[in-house]
């Protein structure tokens, strides 16, 4: 019983860390991967650097963004921060 009192606070701290830090981070990561997998040509996006553009073409690892009528830029798929809802 005395060992339970010694290990109890460590278990409590671990449980608190799990529910306040680890679990929400895993949820955000899962949502981000879902967003990256659902990308398609024509989506308006924002990169992690703040560049706004429209997806011109997409493959497994790269995305070609159309930023104006003449400019096209190639980015890694992981560089996309969010999809704009218009």
């Amino acid at each position: 019983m005395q060992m339970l009192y010694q290990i109890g606070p460590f278990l409590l701290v671990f449980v608190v860390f799990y529910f306040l830090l680890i679990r929400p981070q895993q949820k955000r990561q899962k949502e981000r991967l879902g967003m990256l997998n659902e990308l398609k040509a024509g989506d308006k996006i924002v990169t992690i650097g703040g560049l706004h553009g429209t997806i011109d073409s997409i493959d497994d690892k790269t995305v070609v963004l159309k930023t104006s009528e003449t400019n096209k830029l190639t980015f890694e798929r992981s560089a996309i921060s969010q999809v704009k809802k218009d």
Side-chain angles (χ1 to χ4, degrees):
M1 192 68 167
Q2 188 176 21
M3 187 173 194
L4 181 63
Y5 288 125
Q6 291 175 348
I7 297 175
F10 291 113
L11 291 175
L12 182 63
V13 168
F14 179 76
V15 169
V16 169
F17 273 123
Y18 178 77
F19 283 107
L20 293 180
L21 298 175
I22 298 170
R23 192 166 173 228
Q25 179 64 28
Q26 288 176 342
K27 184 178 177 183
R28 282 191 297 269
Q29 186 176 13
K30 191 175 189 181
E31 289 173 358
R32 177 170 164 69
L33 287 174
M35 182 266 304
L36 290 176
N37 289 333
E38 293 176 5
L39 290 174
K40 60 188 178 301
D43 285 347
K44 294 184 179 186
I45 57 104
V46 179
T47 65
I48 57 175
L51 183 73
H52 294 247
T54 304
I55 296 177
D56 189 51
S57 64
I58 190 168
D59 63 12
D60 290 340
K61 293 188 178 185
T62 60
V63 175
V64 177
L65 293 182
K66 188 174 183 181
T67 57
S68 68
E69 294 298 322
T70 58
N71 292 338
K72 291 184 181 179
L73 304 168
T74 304
F75 286 91
E76 292 290 320
R77 187 184 276 237
S78 62
I80 296 174
S81 172
Q82 63 182 348
V83 177
K84 292 173 49 176
K85 309 279 188 213
D86 285 339

